Amino acid sequence: MSDAEKFLVVKKYVDECDAFSLLAGGAPRDEYDVGSIRIAECISKEDTSKWIAAVIAGVMSASFDEDVSPGLLIEAAEKIRYELREVAE
């Protein structure tokens, strides 16, 4: 899987999660893209959903200067992990 493909997987689920309701509030579709790039750089298909959720939470918290719990991101992390494994095989 290329870096671009991994980014698109991460972007899809980070946007879907919309942790800060920015997209729902009318923010541009690329609002989370910088964070999604960072997340994609830090994860792999071998990582656990718990780890991916922690990475997402860390990046989002740092990017928006607002704490977000990894527990709120586990569903997105599970989807990312599943898709990374499926596409990679």
Side-chain angles (χ1 to χ4, degrees):
M1 172 180 287
S2 72
D3 290 342
E5 291 170 317
K6 190 189 324 183
F7 161 74
L8 290 175
V9 169
V10 171
K11 175 182 174 46
K12 176 171 43 173
Y13 297 113
V14 167
D15 286 358
E16 180 182 285
C17 178
D18 196 11
F20 298 108
S21 299
L22 299 175
L23 299 176
R29 296 301 311 163
D30 65 351
E31 185 68 32
Y32 296 116
D33 284 8
V34 171
S36 293
I37 291 167
R38 288 186 190 133
I39 293 162
E41 292 171 345
C42 295
I43 63 170
S44 73
K45 67 179 182 134
E46 290 83 19
D47 292 331
T48 66
S49 297
K50 188 174 180 178
W51 171 254
I52 294 171
V55 170
I56 297 169
V59 169
M60 300 296 270
S61 295
S63 296
F64 294 96
D65 198 29
E66 186 174 332
D67 287 339
V68 61
S69 169
L72 299 175
L73 302 165
I74 198 70
E75 184 177 338
E78 288 171 350
K79 290 176 180 179
I80 290 168
R81 182 174 184 263
Y82 175 80
E83 196 160 329
L84 291 180
R85 290 176 156 233
E86 286 300 307
V87 173
E89 293 184 12

